[in-house]
Amino acid sequence: MKKTAQRQSAPKSLHAGVRQTLQRNMTGWLLLLPSMILFTVIIWRPIVVGILYSFFDLEGFRPVEFVGVDNFLSVMSDSNFIKTLGNTFQYVIWSLIIGFPLPFLTAVMLNEMLSGKQYFKISTYLPGIIPGIAVCLIWKSLYGEGDSGLLNMFLAKLNVEPATWLADKYKVIPLIVIMMSWQGFGGTLIMYLASLQGINQELYEAARLDGAGFFGRFRHILLPHMSGIMLLVLVRQIISVFQVTEQPLIMTDGGPNGASLTLGLTNWRYAFKFGQYERSLALGVVTFVILISLSILYHVMDKKIND
């Protein structure tokens, strides 16, 4: 009889515990509910539908026939796929060479300054508030060919032959990355400065008393503290640059001869230029898998750093 009573009381106590937990958290769940609905409708539903539709032949946006992985094979067997994938990785590599170290080093220098910080913060952040299309058009006029480009006008003053900036297949990706780095410089700089200002100043004072110079403080205090935010910025930058679309679209339309074509721009062409929505979705899923893999890699590396 005692065992039977205990078995009956156990579910009751479990239900009571669940009820109390729900009652305690009800306000929080109600506050989160609108965001969860919007997130599901705007983010997750399109992702799930896009993945499902990538396995179908489409008429417009209506699936008509299940084709399995044929859309993926069609995309990856395209003669331009490997070249486009390589171009996209070139954007990422050049962004890490040009755009990753400069904001960090500038933030370190600004953090050491005793005056003028506010001026440099504002002046470096201003490009980040300019609309992306406007930035592309400004830099496109800067790189203009012949006597119309601002850089070539400057070279003409120095009696130097005008250069073919964006028309050069070897220069086009680094030049576009320079423009992207200029636009995103300020936002990244502010993130680094915020993290730098969170370092306990007593550690710096103790290091100075022990005779540590700038490079000693940089190595033993600053870098260990900044490793987490640097890894976060690194992964965010890789993911962001991997999806680059509007910059090559506006500045070169993927030229010259596909030298600046990216996965994002190819995806845009499939959908809005050729009306091949199933191939666009398949390429989007391929890109999604690559980015998810990079995100998982970030979490693994971040866990190792924190451990």
Side-chain angles (χ1 to χ4, degrees), residues 207-245:
R208 288 191 182 97
L209 292 174
D210 289 339
F214 171 77
F215 291 103
R217 299 194 303 271
F218 181 86
R219 178 183 176 185
H220 296 290
I221 298 175
L222 191 146
L223 277 182
H225 177 84
M226 296 290 291
S227 58
I229 188 68
M230 290 177 68
L231 178 60
L232 175 62
V233 170
L234 174 69
V235 175
R236 286 181 70 250
Q237 182 168 316
I238 291 173
I239 291 174
S240 175
V241 174
F242 203 87
Q243 301 175 80
V244 59
T245 302

Side-chain angles (χ1 to χ4, degrees), residues 33 51 68 105 121 128 130 154 157 195 225 269 288:
L33 186 60
I51 293 173
L105 296 176
K121 285 181 185 179
I130 303 174
F154 177 73
K157 295 291 184 181
S195 183
H225 177 84
R269 286 184 171 183
F288 178 75

Side-chain angles (χ1 to χ4, degrees), residues 163-178:
T164 55
W165 301 101
L166 296 176
D168 189 328
K169 65 179 181 179
Y170 298 108
K171 297 177 183 175
V172 61
I173 291 179
L175 291 175
I176 294 175
V177 169
I178 289 173

Side-chain angles (χ1 to χ4, degrees), residues 44 47 51 239 285-299:
W44 283 110
I47 291 175
I51 293 173
I239 291 174
V285 172
V286 172
T287 306
F288 178 75
V289 170
I290 294 173
L291 295 180
I292 285 292
S293 302
L294 292 173
S295 299
I296 293 172
L297 178 62
Y298 158 70
H299 287 292

Side-chain angles (χ1 to χ4, degrees), residues 23-182:
Q23 288 175 351
R24 283 199 307 268
N25 298 325
M26 185 60 68
T27 303
W29 284 111
L30 289 175
L31 291 172
L32 283 174
L33 186 60
S35 299
M36 292 174 64
I37 293 173
L38 288 174
F39 190 82
T40 302
V41 172
I42 298 175
I43 303 295
W44 283 110
R45 183 183 176 279
I47 291 175
V48 173
V49 171
I51 293 173
L52 291 175
Y53 280 13
S54 66
F55 294 98
F56 286 83
D57 189 17
L58 303 178
E59 284 186 0
F61 294 101
R62 184 172 62 87
V64 292
E65 182 183 358
F66 180 78
V67 294
V69 296
D70 287 355
N71 293 329
F72 296 92
L73 295 176
S74 176
V75 165
M76 290 187 285
S77 62
D78 191 310
S79 58
N80 288 322
F81 176 75
I82 299 299
K83 180 180 180 180
T84 303
L85 183 63
N87 288 346
T88 305
F89 277 107
Q90 282 191 56
Y91 277 94
V92 172
I93 293 169
W94 278 109
S95 74
L96 297 180
I97 295 172
I98 298 171
F100 182 71
L102 287 178
F104 175 72
L105 296 176
T106 306
V108 172
M109 289 188 289
L110 280 179
N111 194 54
E112 294 289 324
M113 291 175 60
L114 298 177
S115 61
K117 286 185 182 180
Q118 293 301 321
Y119 167 76
F120 284 104
K121 285 181 185 179
I122 295 171
S123 60
T124 54
Y125 190 74
L126 281 177
I129 65 175
I130 303 174
I133 294 177
V135 172
C136 293
L137 293 175
I138 291 170
W139 280 79
K140 186 176 181 179
S141 67
L142 187 70
Y143 292 141
E145 295 183 35
D147 297 331
S148 62
L150 294 178
L151 286 177
N152 281 338
M153 291 171 63
F154 177 73
L155 293 177
K157 295 291 184 181
L158 301 176
N159 295 321
V160 178
E161 289 293 323
T164 55
W165 301 101
L166 296 176
D168 189 328
K169 65 179 181 179
Y170 298 108
K171 297 177 183 175
V172 61
I173 291 179
L175 291 175
I176 294 175
V177 169
I178 289 173
M179 180 269 295
M180 295 166 60
S181 301
W182 176 81

